Amino acid sequence: MQLDRRKLLIGGAAGGGLLLAWSLMPRRYPLPLTAGPDEAVFDAWLKIGKDGIVTVAVPQLEMGQGITTVLPQIVATELGADWQRIAVAPAPVSEICANASLAGRWAELWMPAFARLAENAENGDATPGWLARHYAERHRFMVTADGTALAAYEAPLRMAAASARTLLAMAAGAIWHVRWQDCTAKVGFVHHGEQQLSFGELAEAAVKQTPPDQVALLADAAAESPILPVGTPLVYPRLDLPAKVTGATQFAGDIRLPGMVYAAIRHGPIGDSELGDVDEKRAAGISGFIRLVKGERWLAAVATDWWAAERALTAIAPRFKVHSPIESEQFDTALDQAVF
């Protein structure tokens, strides 16, 4: 696979600290990652230290699904990194890291009248089109939901890793006075014959290189670029498990801030539903209940703890008006067609 340089997320990262994102028109956004001591930032997704540690920015929340292993796997394999020298960091909030795939899938929530426009009309499929990407970038829509992590981030992560691998090979080729195309990346080193240099030794010089017009993805990354030493089974020990076992992992539900409040929500059916009349007095006696927040097709209760908010909504029992209800037979027909 060949990648046009104009489409790479690495564009401008090494020189000006700006990255390209494409929606209605090319846009330049600030580079979200910052370099620590002795680190070189390659793009929005990875940086490499002089010690050879490759830090991968993960734009999704860890909710037990192992995303802090899955996404770094993609980078490590395409880059040719040593899995034992992979680190993970939360991706800063950035337009570059927006989840356009989820924005397209949830288009009926933010653009119900024209949801189909958020799909990729050129391909005739349900992948996110330019409108979904524009929405996701504009709102910095880094939402974790609906199993969209790979759909949203596999391509940009592979692009970033392939470009970084190319830059490392170019830096090594310049040192050895050989064609960079004849250099290979494997287990955290760039090789040419008997010569080898580590990623850490090359990182600083690599980010000063200019990527070629075409950057190639590995045709079979797992086969061509093993990320563990020879003789080690090709497996990926999960990066997220030790902290989960010890209880050190901080999930969204673990966050506590001064004066923090909680919300529970009820959504109306997707389509032409709208929130009906609400009797807030039903929740008046619930300890911790603060107030209601109403939307056109949803109702949320805010309280000092989540259980109070949930009890308030249960007591209120919001109802929604549906102007064009779907009959049960339509559900049965749709299920039958999906199964058979």
Side-chain angles (χ1 to χ4, degrees), residues 9 43 45 74-75 96 150-162:
L9 295 184
D43 48 43
W45 305 103
I74 295 168
V75 171
I96 294 292
L150 284 178
Y153 298 111
E154 180 180 10
L157 285 171
R158 288 194 71 187
M159 291 179 187

Side-chain angles (χ1 to χ4, degrees), residues 62 66 73 78 108 147 291:
E62 178 61 68
Q73 283 179 341
E78 186 66 47
E108 286 193 77
R291 57 167 293 190

Side-chain angles (χ1 to χ4, degrees), residues 156-212:
L157 285 171
R158 288 194 71 187
M159 291 179 187
S163 187
R165 171 170 45 78
T166 300
L167 294 176
L168 290 165
M170 294 175 71
I175 293 172
W176 295 326
H177 303 290
V178 299
R179 283 171 22 101
W180 68 265
Q181 294 90 338
D182 297 329
C183 299
T184 58
K186 183 178 179 181
V187 198
F189 287 84
V190 175
H191 300 263
H192 183 270
E194 298 298 320
Q195 303 177 102
Q196 68 174 27
L197 287 169
S198 71
F199 287 1
E201 294 173 297
L202 294 168
E204 186 175 353
V207 294
K208 298 176 182 177
Q209 302 289 326
T210 301

